[in-house]
Amino acid sequence: MPEAYIVSARRTAGGRRNGRLAGIHPADLGAAVLDAIVAETGVDPAAIDDVIIGCVSQVGEQTFALGRNVVLASSLPDSVPAVTIDRQCGSSQQALHFAAQAVMSGTQDLVIAGGVESMSRVPMGSPVMLAAQAGMGEGPFAKSIQRRYGVEAFSQFTGAQMVADKYGFDRDTLDRFALESHRKAFAATEARAFADEIVAIDVTAPDGGYLVHDRDEGVRADATLEGIGSVKLLSEGGTLSAATASQICDGASGVLVASEAAVRTHGLTPLARIHNLTVTAGDPVIMLEEPIPATRRALGRAGLSLSDIDLFEVNEAFASIPLAWLKALGADPARLNVHGGAIALGHPLGATGTKLMATLVHALRARGGRYGLQTMCEGGGIANVTIVERL
């Protein structure tokens, strides 16, 4: 089977809710990443076969073929097609899977996979809320689904707490994990570990001037266990708080996937080879536990063990998720989210998949590791796993 290579992996620095990136239209945010990828690789933009963009809240400024609008806002010619996909938090990781599958099938040679989410301009849950306000039906969960699972709705917050309870994590454990996320992210920022992946964005300053946004805005250098522990719990009797959940975030990300022929033709330098693509689904009520069986399946299909993997990126949707993943699989915590995760760096929903891949690929190269594994919990009880090999 033909190989698929990642030849560029870039992301914007995360913007806090109503922060530095809030004034930028989502199409322009995504376009900045596309332009950076083209500039970095030097490929003829007209040679790009497709652009696949992940986005969760596809309403308002993020609707009407957002992927296509990202292309139209970029320097790419209008001959480049695009599509928008939604696999909830795993949307751009699935975009990467689709791009790799297109290249591995031999039907395409150069595909950009990415994601965009402006959670300031299009708040999380907007499609459901607007539909309810307009009286458009009964919502996304049909009565048949509610009867089958015995619930009126499915909640990631409920699922995250169910995972915390199942694996026995008390508040102190979750708070300490969140603190470590901030500490690692701050150390990585200070060491310029993100320099090769971040696309600098010019934004308007409060005084009307301009400044460069090139640092993740949510990282708290002064985070303390006491401060995290003072944040109100998400539910009475629970153990999770907003401080141990991923930050609302604005951002965009993308990777360029190339065939072996494209690498030769365009003189590209591969950063990593796609080694395994896996997606699984399970219980939609607990919902966020699925990365555990998905990882087991991916490793089995790849013929690898956890000890073969040098770095893990497990999305920090809530502190309970990567902690449960570590506990269930017996993985080495020293290899997990070495530069921090979404608790500190933010989780721009549809953009997080390729955002994490950008961090993983560049961290592998900086540390001389060989294999990296990325996984993501997703709405509906789905999980993607991607294993890459550094080149």
Side-chain angles (χ1 to χ4, degrees), residues 186-388:
F186 178 69
T189 301
E190 291 298 291
R192 293 186 53 77
F194 299 128
D196 291 337
E197 66 196 66
I198 286 182
V199 177
I201 305 289
D202 292 332
V203 297
T204 304
D207 62 3
Y210 289 93
L211 54 84
V212 177
H213 177 68
D214 59 0
R215 291 170 66 99
D216 294 286
E217 204 174 1
V219 180
R220 293 184 172 88
D222 59 351
T224 64
L225 191 60
E226 293 74 22
I228 291 171
S230 69
V231 177
K232 182 181 178 180
L233 293 171
L234 296 175
S235 60
E236 186 176 349
T239 53
L240 287 159
S241 72
T244 50
S246 56
Q247 289 189 41
I248 289 174
C249 183
D250 303 331
S253 62
V255 301
L256 178 56
V257 181
S259 67
E260 188 171 355
V263 168
R264 292 196 304 269
T265 299
H266 298 278
L268 301 170
T269 301
L271 303 177
R273 180 179 67 87
I274 303 293
H275 191 72
N276 177 266
L277 306 167
T278 294
V279 60
T280 69
D283 184 349
V285 179
I286 195 169
M287 190 186 299
L288 308 183
E289 189 183 21
E290 191 61 21
I292 295 168
T295 297
R296 291 191 178 112
R297 179 179 292 186
L299 291 170
R301 294 182 66 183
L304 297 171
S305 67
L306 275 176
S307 62
D308 295 316
I309 308 298
D310 297 287
L311 294 177
F312 310 116
E313 281 289 333
V314 181
N315 189 38
E316 294 176 2
F318 299 86
S320 56
I321 307 309
L323 281 170
W325 186 89
L326 283 171
K327 186 173 183 178
L329 297 173
D332 181 358
R335 304 183 188 188
L336 174 72
N337 300 355
V338 293
H339 292 159
I343 290 172
L345 297 165
H347 177 19
L349 300 185
T352 297
T354 42
K355 173 184 181 294
L356 294 187
M357 183 53 68
T359 298
L360 178 60
V361 166
H362 289 290
L364 280 172
R365 291 176 66 80
R367 293 166 177 254
R370 182 179 181 184
Y371 289 113
L373 182 149
Q374 174 191 331
T375 187
M376 182 94 63
C377 59
E378 301 157 9
I382 302 173
N384 283 75
V385 179
T386 314
I387 300 175
V388 296

Side-chain angles (χ1 to χ4, degrees), residues 88-112:
Q88 295 294 281
C89 296
S91 294
S92 57
Q93 187 171 0
Q94 183 59 55
L96 171 57
H97 284 207
F98 284 152
Q101 288 163 352
V103 167
M104 294 165 77
S105 73
T107 57
Q108 294 180 324
D109 290 298
L110 286 171
V111 183
I112 293 179

Side-chain angles (χ1 to χ4, degrees), residues 25-26 55-64 66 117-118 121-131:
H25 192 287
C55 182
V56 174
S57 296
Q58 295 185 32
V59 69
E61 293 178 342
Q62 294 181 167
T63 192
F64 202 75
L66 174 63
E117 204 84 35
S118 177
R121 299 170 73 98
V122 186
M124 183 170 60
S126 291
V128 174
M129 290 186 290
L130 291 172

Side-chain angles (χ1 to χ4, degrees), residues 159-170 174 239-240 320-321 324:
Q161 188 60 59
M162 291 173 69
V163 171
D165 294 342
K166 179 176 178 176
Y167 289 88
F169 300 132
D170 60 16
L174 299 170
T239 53
L240 287 159
S320 56
I321 307 309

